[in-house]
Amino acid sequence: MARRTGEATREEIRNAATRLFRERGFARTSVRDIAAQAATNPALVIRHFGTKELLFLDTMHLTIDDEPLLDVPLERFGERFIEVLLADDDIRGVYLALVHGSNEQRIRARLQDIHERTFVEPVRARLAGPDADIRARLAAAVVGGLLYALWVVEDEHLVTADRPVLVARYGALLQAALTPRG
């Protein structure tokens, strides 16, 4: 049996941790579980990453592809943003892992950073006017509410709703935050 290199072991640990954190969350994933899935020793997990929390932060990243969001006029941005958000399966796992682990200070800080970088900043960049920042933050809160309803409390009516209808209606709510009338 061939031995893995340090980098190969590190990558196996990272892959195992990513899967387990997304499936179970931070609290219900142990270093031993990660090591077992990576076919390595728990001591190597700690040696490569320091702590379970640092490994979590190394593996849990949430990004949204900006390209499909930049190619639509602002008047259609709300619906397009919801469509892109709900089409990306990786977002759900990472979002839930971060929310469930947010009682840890550094994980909460990561969630706040993702909120700012992934939601607020890209939206604010599309807006003009003295109230652009507050409109971007309200829009991010609208999006956060949808993610919470769908993935944290699993509101049965929203989860089973027709996806195009959900995108259109929630996109309209987001659009109202972005481009208020009057």
Side-chain angles (χ1 to χ4, degrees):
M1 184 159 104
R3 291 179 53 141
R4 292 185 291 199
T5 65
E7 189 53 43
T9 299
R10 184 177 174 82
E11 197 56 36
E12 280 298 315
I13 292 167
R14 186 180 282 116
N15 291 337
T18 299
R19 280 190 303 277
L20 290 171
F21 287 140
R22 286 181 181 184
E23 291 169 11
R24 300 179 185 174
F26 178 77
R28 294 188 330 225
T29 301
S30 71
V31 170
R32 287 188 188 282
D33 295 336
I34 295 166
Q37 191 152 104
T40 194
N41 185 307
L44 284 176
V45 174
I46 298 304
R47 181 173 349 137
H48 282 286
F49 293 94
T51 66
K52 180 176 89 167
E53 185 179 18
L54 290 173
L55 175 56
F56 181 88
L57 292 170
D58 185 80
T59 58
M60 293 294 105
H61 300 277
L62 188 123
T63 58
I64 295 176
D65 183 8
D66 291 5
E67 188 95 19
L69 299 175
L70 299 176
D71 66 359
V72 298
L74 183 59
E75 297 74 36
R76 292 191 20 238
F77 185 83
E79 190 169 320
R80 183 67 178 145
F81 191 89
I82 298 300
E83 182 180 47
V84 168
L85 185 70
L86 296 182
D88 190 333
D89 291 332
D90 287 340
I91 292 174
R92 182 181 189 275
V94 174
Y95 173 80
L96 285 173
L98 288 164
V99 167
H100 291 142
S102 65
N103 59 323
E104 301 291 331
Q105 183 178 354
R106 287 189 282 194
I107 295 171
R108 184 176 48 255
R110 167 66 57 83
L111 188 57
Q112 290 167 332
D113 181 59
I114 287 171
H115 172 82
E116 192 69 26
R117 279 185 306 101
T118 305
F119 295 108
V120 175
E121 288 176 7
V123 171
R124 183 179 40 228
R126 297 287 315 265
L127 303 176
D131 64 345
D133 187 66
I134 192 68
R135 286 187 290 139
R137 292 180 184 288
L138 288 170
V142 168
V143 170
L146 177 62
L147 300 184
Y148 174 81
L150 287 174
W151 299 334
V152 176
V153 298
E154 296 179 348
D155 181 310
E156 182 181 340
H157 299 285
L158 292 177
V159 170
T160 60
D162 181 59
R163 183 57 57 95
V165 170
L166 183 64
V167 167
R169 290 189 176 173
Y170 218 88
L173 291 173
L174 178 56
Q175 195 66 47
L178 295 170
T179 54
R181 288 183 245 172

